[in-house]
């Protein structure tokens, strides 16, 4: 739970009344962007206010009318998701920088330069975003913003989003360590356990992480994993 002195106000106007809660700005942003966040950790105090600066608490009748419940956590989550979050200039800058890094990482991992077949370096992607004057929204997830940003970048940066299908076979002595890593990188489309205890599968990964995927798999299996690009 965030300290009161570090909290900011989340406010929603409904039924002619302002409703406010005091929140951790970063966790509130994560909640709004669809991440799984415990609302108890977002709130500095389990209260719904009409005016948090004056300590003027909203009545249960007001909360029920506006949110259909008197449960503080449920109403607070609605306020955070639908309302405005008042953050400082410095907080906004930090959040924008973090969101920018997330967007750059997504583009770097999921796309390749069609001229080279390799992913663009993050610094090149960030430079192209500056050149295209891309606006990064702090209250939208990286995933939500990705389509519009990619469209803005394409006249400047050659991008190709490609999925690679790869057949993988991991010997039994390395399955325990390698299986979790494979599923972290890839979407498993088919899988089976072989009679000797090996794990075989067909997986899909973004083209941009192919080299990283092979390196990790070789590291975890001491080069004994078998792979084939389909």
């Amino acid at each position: 739970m965030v300290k009161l002195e570090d909290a900011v106000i989340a406010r929603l106007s409904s039924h002619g009344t302002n409703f406010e809660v005091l929140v951790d700005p970063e966790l509130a942003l994560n909640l709004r962007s669809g991440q799984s966040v415990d609302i108890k950790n977002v709130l500095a105090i389990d209260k719904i206010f009409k005016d948090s600066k004056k300590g003027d608490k909203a009545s249960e009748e007001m909360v029920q009318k506006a949110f259909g419940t008197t449960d503080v956590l449920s109403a607070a989550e609605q306020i955070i998701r639908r309302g405005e979050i008042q953050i400082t200039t410095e907080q906004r800058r930090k959040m924008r920088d973090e969101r920018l890094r997330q967007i750059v990482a997504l583009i770097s991992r999921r796309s390749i330069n069609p001229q080279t077949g390799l992913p663009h370096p993050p610094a090149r992607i960030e430079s192209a975003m500056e050149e295209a004057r891309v606006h990064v929204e702090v209250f939208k997830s990286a995933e939500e913003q990705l389509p519009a940003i990619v469209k803005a970048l394409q006249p400047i940066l050659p991008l190709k989003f490609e999925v690679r299908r790869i057949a993988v076979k991991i010997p039994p002595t390395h399955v325990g360590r390698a299986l979790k890593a494979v599923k972290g990188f890839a979407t498993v489309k088919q899988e089976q356990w072989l009679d000797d205890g090996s794990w075989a599968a067909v997986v899909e990964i973004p083209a941009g992480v192919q080299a990283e995927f092979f390196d990790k798999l070789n590291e975890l299996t001491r080069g004994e994993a078998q792979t084939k690009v389909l």
Side-chain angles (χ1 to χ4, degrees):
M1 182 176 285
V2 64
K3 296 179 181 178
L4 276 173
E5 57 266 29
D6 296 325
V8 299
I9 298 170
R11 178 186 294 122
L12 177 68
S13 296
S14 180
H15 294 74
T17 302
N18 284 332
F19 295 93
E20 299 180 350
V21 287
L22 298 173
V23 301
D24 179 311
E26 292 187 18
L27 290 180
L29 175 59
N30 291 342
L31 180 66
R32 283 180 65 136
S33 66
Q35 296 184 36
S36 178
V37 181
D38 189 337
I39 186 66
K40 292 180 181 178
N41 295 329
V42 181
L43 299 178
I45 184 171
D46 296 350
K47 289 183 179 179
I48 309 292
F49 297 94
K50 289 194 299 181
D51 188 329
S52 56
K53 291 182 179 179
K54 295 180 180 179
D56 189 2
K57 186 180 173 184
S59 68
E60 286 192 351
E61 291 78 12
M62 291 177 175
V63 174
Q64 174 68 44
K65 184 178 180 181
F67 304 106
T69 180
T70 58
D71 181 72
V72 170
L73 298 182
S74 177
E77 184 168 348
Q78 292 184 55
I79 293 169
I80 295 166
R81 289 187 183 279
R82 295 161 45 201
E84 298 178 355
I85 300 175
Q86 299 182 343
I87 57 176
T88 66
T89 301
E90 179 62 17
Q91 287 169 332
R92 183 175 291 275
R93 184 191 64 77
K94 288 182 179 179
M95 290 179 180
R96 183 194 176 280
D97 289 347
E98 176 59 25
R99 187 64 79 233
L100 173 63
R101 284 192 291 270
Q102 293 170 353
I103 292 168
V104 169
L106 283 180
I107 296 172
S108 180
R109 287 176 64 84
R110 294 184 182 179
S111 68
I112 58 172
N113 180 346
Q115 298 169 355
T116 65
L118 299 173
H120 288 286
R124 177 68 186 99
I125 297 170
E126 189 168 343
S127 175
M129 289 177 67
E130 291 179 5
E131 185 178 345
R133 298 184 179 180
V134 167
H135 177 64
V136 175
E137 296 278 358
V138 297
F139 291 119
K140 286 186 178 180
S141 70
E143 287 282 1
E144 286 180 284
Q145 299 180 71
L146 193 60
I149 289 175
V150 167
K151 184 177 180 180
L153 289 179
Q154 284 177 329
I156 298 170
L157 194 68
L159 292 170
K160 182 179 181 181
F161 286 80
E162 186 174 304
V163 173
R164 300 274 166 81
R165 288 176 63 87
I166 300 173
V168 179
K169 182 181 177 183
I170 301 173
T173 51
H174 301 297
V175 168
R177 289 195 307 161
L179 188 54
K180 183 178 180 181
V182 170
K183 291 186 175 181
F185 269 94
T187 300
V188 178
K189 307 304 289 185
Q190 302 171 28
E191 63 178 322
Q192 62 177 320
W193 291 94
L194 305 180
D195 292 341
D196 66 353
S198 297
W199 181 78
V202 174
V203 303
E204 289 184 349
I205 61 171
V209 301
Q210 179 177 314
E212 184 183 353
F213 175 67
F214 285 162
D215 287 345
K216 188 65 175 179
L217 201 55
N218 285 329
E219 174 190 338
L220 293 173
T221 66
R222 299 177 183 175
E224 295 178 15
Q226 298 177 35
T227 58
K228 181 181 179 182
V229 178
L230 302 177

